[in-house]
Amino acid sequence: DIQMTQSPSSLSASVGDRVTITCRASQAFGNWLAWYQQKPGGAPKSLIYGTSTLESGVPSRFSGSASGTDFSLTINNLQPEDFATYYCQQYNSFPPTFGGGTKVEIK
Amino acid sequence: EVQLLESGGDLIQPGPGGSLRLSCAASGFTFSTYAMTWVRQAPGKGLEWVSTISSSGDRTYYADSVKGRFTISRDNSKNTLYLQMSSLRVEDTALYHCAKDWLGSGAPIYYMDVWGKGTTVTVSS
């Protein structure tokens, strides 16, 4: 199985900040990586697929990138509604696996 | 609007007699075209893929942790996904989400673009 190591597990930031969350894969694969946002009590919401393609309706302040086995989610100009937990997921190979999550909290 | 609504979660005792069936009612899309998945989330923990079924229901896939104990199925005439859970263990305690596969190709790609809020299963004596 491909292990996805996500970091940091939590971070504190202010409105307007830029934050970056990273997922490191245990082995190299293509671009089949997604990012999800989950708010307390809510369903996960898909943000990005294919490493860098934004889902319809997702603000352009969200972006995804990759470098080798490291995948990143960047949020520019952090907004109050962005405080949530974020998960990466690889769907390159079976079984699909998720990162442990990153909780973005208000500083 | 695409919606997934899970139900059937309950408090149940662990052991071979413990079984439960979860349901997920789908609306707003052509259910029979998409593979469907169950993902669970233990209290305070992250997401764990559990099981996926192809659009027609002829192929099923399971995590090792539930293989042989859980059965995924679907009724395309009722737009409903199911997860039959048996021989439940304390470690099966979680919020169970159903999710829709992104690509309507029949076979799953395991990227899920729509999720439900989940139904809670608590396994405890």
Side-chain angles (χ1 to χ4, degrees):
Chain A
D1 299 5
I2 296 178
Q3 308 302 319
M4 302 301 297
T5 302
Q6 190 170 340
S7 62
S9 57
S10 66
L11 65 89
S12 295
S14 301
V15 172
D17 283 354
R18 177 184 183 185
V19 301
T20 298
I21 299 167
T22 298
C23 267
R24 175 165 291 175
S26 61
Q27 58 186 270
F29 60 86
N31 290 334
W32 306 107
L33 184 111
W35 290 95
Y36 302 94
Q37 176 193 67
Q38 187 178 31
K39 296 181 180 179
K45 174 187 174 183
S46 54
L47 297 177
I48 289 172
Y49 63 94
T51 297
S52 59
T53 302
L54 264 61
E55 275 284 358
S56 175
V58 174
S60 59
R61 63 180 181 271
F62 290 89
S63 64
S65 63
S67 176
T69 58
D70 289 347
F71 296 83
S72 296
L73 171 70
T74 297
I75 312 172
N76 288 301
N77 187 22
L78 197 67
Q79 294 298 297
E81 60 267 30
D82 301 336
F83 292 95
T85 299
Y86 295 85
Y87 296 93
C88 66
Q89 180 223 333
Q90 69 80 19
Y91 54 103
N92 179 81
S93 65
F94 184 85
T97 48
F98 293 87
T102 296
K103 186 174 184 179
V104 178
E105 300 175 298
I106 301 174
K107 183 183 288 185
Chain B
E1 181 187 6
V2 177
Q3 282 193 323
L4 298 171
L5 184 62
E6 303 91 338
S7 61
D10 205 348
L11 169 62
I12 192 160
Q13 292 191 340
S19 66
L20 203 59
R21 189 177 83 159
L22 307 183
S23 300
C24 172
S27 60
F29 64 103
T30 306
F31 181 72
S32 61
T33 303
Y34 294 88
M36 296 293 295
T37 289
W38 288 98
V39 174
R40 68 185 180 183
Q41 192 167 23
K45 301 296 184 181
L47 302 169
E48 178 191 14
W49 173 78
V50 173
S51 181
T52 295
I53 188 168
S54 63
S55 60
S56 65
D58 62 338
R59 285 161 290 172
T60 57
Y61 311 86
Y62 297 96
D64 287 345
S65 58
V66 307
K67 197 175 296 181
R69 300 187 299 119
F70 290 10
T71 301
I72 191 172
S73 62
R74 63 192 297 161
D75 186 337
N76 286 345
S77 69
K78 295 182 178 179
N79 290 345
T80 303
L81 174 72
Y82 302 101
L83 186 68
Q84 181 70 46
M85 311 165 70
S86 62
S87 298
L88 283 160
R89 304 168 181 169
V90 171
E91 55 265 33
D92 295 320
T93 294
L95 179 65
Y96 284 74
H97 302 276
C98 69
K100 167 188 164 290
D101 209 69
W102 175 67
L103 188 64
S105 65
I109 65 165
Y110 301 105
Y111 165 56
M112 290 72 73
D113 64 343
V114 180
W115 297 60
K117 287 187 175 182
T119 187
T120 299
V121 174
T122 303
V123 185
S124 174
S125 54

